[in-house]
Amino acid sequence: MKKTIVICGATATGKTEHAVVLGKYFDTAVISADSQLIYKGLNIGTAKPTLAEMENIQHYMIDIIEPNLSFSVAEYTTMAEPIIANIEAQEKPPILCGGTGFYIQSLLFKRSLGTVGRDNQFRKYYQELAKLKGNTYLFEELKKVDIQTAEKLHVNDVNRVIRALEIYALTGKKKSEQVEGFSPKREYIAIAFDYDRDTLYTKINQRVRNMLKLGWIDEVQQLLKQGVMPDMQSMQAIGYKEVISYLSNCIGYNEMLELIQRKTRNYAKRQITFFKKFPNLTWISPNTNIVKKVKELL
């Protein structure tokens, strides 16, 4: 079995470009590990690679669901596992590329839920509370007791939010303080690109400006016309709510731009924090010859 090659890390670090280089060299396919690229119609604002950028390398787990639907980590795993198995059966190394840590973990590790039990009555109460007051209310409740876990979860990932609240209620300790085991599913090497902060932030700021020039606002208008609502999971992608606020005349263009840039920089910080704890991850200079480095690690 070939080792899985993982290209991960912060947004705007050139992951897709490097994955394509490796895909061409190893004559293999790329599996996206990005929780926003799964949505059809979210193209510019998610920096979805174009056909030209893919350079005839097969990319999976992109444009797989409509933007009005929700999608979980479990669903991602169920769909991606057979793809990996098919690539491995061809004696080729799968390339997993993206910045959504939970997606990557789901394919590389069998995750233990720990020794904390479950309380069905507690779960039912919070499920009803979510229906009554909304997912955001439940998410805010989690932030009050465990901000570290909340920062890693999506507001609409209700099951995980409830589980974190349950752990706190049953143990008096945060989920982020629990020791959770990871046993590997498959062999892998993982690489992330180590940009200095100023360079990364400059790249992020410029990329947001470029997205807006490419027609991001028109893209959001089209999604709204199709019936995609602002509170749907797809619209939680960074920048989409800010563009909607601009279209609603709630904020001006410059405020929208600055908000998106700041939120993207903050997201990059969270990604870096997440991946710094990731097992067996090699941080490399952006100028490193990616093929040569991967061959060394393999």
Side-chain angles (χ1 to χ4, degrees), residues 16-17 19-21 23-24 28 30 32 37 47-63:
T16 297
E17 177 186 345
V20 166
V21 169
K24 291 165 71 174
T28 189
V30 175
S32 170
L37 298 191
K48 187 177 292 178
T50 64
L51 289 175
E53 289 169 336
M54 292 180 188
E55 296 188 40
N56 294 319
I57 296 300
Q58 177 69 58
H59 282 64
Y60 293 99
M61 301 306 288
I62 294 176
D63 286 337

Coordinates of all heavy atoms in Angstrom, one line a residue, residues 16-17 19-21 23-24 28 30 32 37 47-63:
T16 N -3.1 23.8 -3.1 CA -3.6 23.2 -4.4 C -2.5 23.2 -5.4 O -2.3 22.1 -6.1 CB -4.8 24.1 -4.9 OG1 -5.9 24.0 -4.0 CG2 -5.3 23.5 -6.2
E17 N -1.8 24.3 -5.6 CA -0.7 24.3 -6.6 C 0.3 23.2 -6.4 O 0.7 22.5 -7.3 CB 0.0 25.7 -6.6 CG 1.1 25.8 -7.5 CD 1.9 27.2 -7.3 OE1 1.3 28.1 -6.6 OE2 3.0 27.3 -7.8
A19 N -0.1 20.4 -4.6 CA -0.8 19.1 -4.8 C -0.8 18.7 -6.3 O -0.6 17.5 -6.6 CB -2.2 19.1 -4.2
V20 N -1.1 19.7 -7.1 CA -1.1 19.4 -8.6 C 0.3 19.0 -9.1 O 0.4 18.0 -9.9 CB -1.6 20.6 -9.4 CG1 -1.3 20.5 -10.8 CG2 -3.1 20.8 -9.1
V21 N 1.3 19.6 -8.6 CA 2.7 19.3 -9.0 C 2.9 17.8 -8.6 O 3.5 17.0 -9.4 CB 3.7 20.2 -8.3 CG1 5.1 19.7 -8.5 CG2 3.6 21.6 -8.9
G23 N 0.6 15.5 -8.0 CA -0.3 14.6 -8.7 C 0.3 14.3 -10.1 O 0.2 13.2 -10.6
K24 N 0.9 15.3 -10.7 CA 1.5 15.0 -12.1 C 2.8 14.1 -11.9 O 3.0 13.2 -12.8 CB 1.9 16.4 -12.7 CG 0.7 17.2 -13.1 CD 1.0 18.7 -13.4 CE 1.8 18.8 -14.7 NZ 2.0 20.3 -15.0
T28 N -1.2 10.5 -10.1 CA -2.2 10.1 -9.1 C -3.3 11.3 -9.0 O -3.2 12.2 -9.7 CB -1.6 9.8 -7.7 OG1 -2.6 9.2 -6.9 CG2 -1.0 11.0 -7.1
V30 N -6.0 13.9 -6.6 CA -6.0 14.7 -5.4 C -7.4 14.6 -4.8 O -8.4 14.6 -5.5 CB -5.7 16.2 -5.7 CG1 -5.9 17.1 -4.5 CG2 -4.3 16.3 -6.3
S32 N -9.7 16.5 -2.2 CA -9.9 17.8 -1.4 C -10.3 17.5 0.0 O -11.2 16.7 0.3 CB -10.9 18.7 -2.1 OG -11.2 19.8 -1.3
L37 N -15.2 23.7 -0.3 CA -15.1 23.3 -1.8 C -16.1 22.2 -2.1 O -16.4 22.0 -3.3 CB -13.7 22.8 -2.1 CG -12.6 23.8 -1.9 CD1 -11.3 23.2 -2.5 CD2 -12.9 25.1 -2.5
A47 N -12.0 30.1 -3.2 CA -10.8 29.9 -4.0 C -10.8 28.5 -4.5 O -9.7 27.8 -4.6 CB -9.5 30.1 -3.1
K48 N -11.9 28.1 -5.1 CA -12.0 26.7 -5.6 C -11.1 26.7 -6.9 O -11.2 27.6 -7.7 CB -13.5 26.5 -6.0 CG -13.7 25.0 -6.5 CD -15.2 24.9 -6.8 CE -16.0 24.9 -5.5 NZ -17.5 24.8 -5.7
P49 N -10.3 25.6 -7.0 CA -9.4 25.6 -8.2 C -10.2 25.4 -9.5 O -11.2 24.7 -9.5 CB -8.6 24.3 -7.9 CG -9.4 23.5 -7.0 CD -10.1 24.5 -6.1
T50 N -9.8 26.1 -10.5 CA -10.4 26.1 -11.8 C -9.9 24.8 -12.6 O -8.9 24.2 -12.1 CB -10.1 27.3 -12.6 OG1 -8.7 27.4 -12.9 CG2 -10.6 28.6 -11.9
L51 N -10.6 24.5 -13.7 CA -10.1 23.4 -14.5 C -8.7 23.6 -14.9 O -7.8 22.7 -15.0 CB -11.0 23.1 -15.7 CG -12.4 22.5 -15.3 CD1 -13.2 22.5 -16.6 CD2 -12.3 21.2 -14.7
A52 N -8.4 24.9 -15.3 CA -7.0 25.2 -15.7 C -6.0 25.0 -14.6 O -4.9 24.4 -14.9 CB -6.9 26.6 -16.2
E53 N -6.4 25.3 -13.4 CA -5.5 25.2 -12.3 C -5.3 23.7 -11.9 O -4.2 23.3 -11.3 CB -6.0 26.0 -11.1 CG -5.9 27.5 -11.3 CD -6.6 28.3 -10.2 OE1 -7.6 27.7 -9.6 OE2 -6.3 29.5 -10.0
M54 N -6.3 22.9 -12.2 CA -6.1 21.5 -11.9 C -5.2 20.8 -12.8 O -4.7 19.7 -12.5 CB -7.5 20.8 -11.9 CG -8.5 21.2 -10.8 SD -10.1 20.4 -11.0 CE -11.1 21.2 -9.8
E55 N -5.0 21.3 -14.0 CA -4.0 20.8 -15.0 C -4.2 19.3 -15.3 O -3.3 18.5 -15.3 CB -2.6 21.1 -14.5 CG -2.2 22.5 -14.4 CD -0.7 22.7 -14.1 OE1 0.1 22.0 -14.7 OE2 -0.4 23.6 -13.3
N56 N -5.5 19.0 -15.5 CA -5.9 17.6 -15.9 C -5.6 16.6 -14.8 O -5.7 15.4 -15.1 CB -5.2 17.2 -17.2 CG -5.6 18.0 -18.4 OD1 -6.8 18.3 -18.6 ND2 -4.7 18.4 -19.2
I57 N -5.3 17.0 -13.6 CA -5.2 16.1 -12.5 C -6.6 15.9 -11.9 O -7.3 16.9 -11.6 CB -4.2 16.6 -11.4 CG1 -2.8 16.7 -12.0 CG2 -4.2 15.7 -10.2 CD1 -2.2 15.4 -12.5
Q58 N -7.0 14.6 -11.7 CA -8.3 14.4 -11.1 C -8.4 14.9 -9.7 O -7.6 14.6 -8.9 CB -8.6 12.9 -11.1 CG -9.9 12.4 -10.5 CD -11.1 12.9 -11.3 OE1 -11.2 12.5 -12.5 NE2 -12.0 13.6 -10.7
H59 N -9.5 15.7 -9.4 CA -9.7 16.2 -8.1 C -11.1 15.6 -7.6 O -12.1 15.8 -8.3 CB -9.7 17.7 -8.1 CG -8.4 18.4 -8.1 ND1 -7.5 18.2 -9.2 CD2 -7.8 19.2 -7.2 CE1 -6.4 18.9 -8.9 NE2 -6.5 19.5 -7.7
Y60 N -11.1 15.0 -6.4 CA -12.3 14.5 -5.8 C -12.8 15.4 -4.7 O -12.0 16.2 -4.1 CB -12.1 13.1 -5.3 CG -11.8 12.1 -6.4 CD1 -10.5 11.7 -6.7 CD2 -12.8 11.5 -7.1 CE1 -10.2 10.7 -7.7 CE2 -12.6 10.5 -8.1 CZ -11.3 10.2 -8.4 OH -11.1 9.2 -9.4
M61 N -14.0 15.2 -4.3 CA -14.6 15.8 -3.1 C -14.8 17.4 -3.3 O -14.7 18.1 -2.4 CB -13.9 15.5 -1.8 CG -13.9 14.0 -1.5 SD -15.5 13.2 -1.5 CE -16.2 13.9 0.0
I62 N -15.0 17.8 -4.6 CA -15.2 19.1 -4.9 C -16.5 19.2 -5.7 O -16.8 18.3 -6.6 CB -14.1 19.8 -5.8 CG1 -12.8 19.9 -5.0 CG2 -14.5 21.1 -6.3 CD1 -11.6 20.4 -5.8
D63 N -17.4 20.2 -5.4 CA -18.7 20.3 -6.1 C -19.6 19.0 -5.9 O -20.1 18.5 -6.9 CB -18.5 20.6 -7.6 CG -18.1 22.0 -7.8 OD1 -18.3 22.9 -6.9 OD2 -17.5 22.3 -8.9

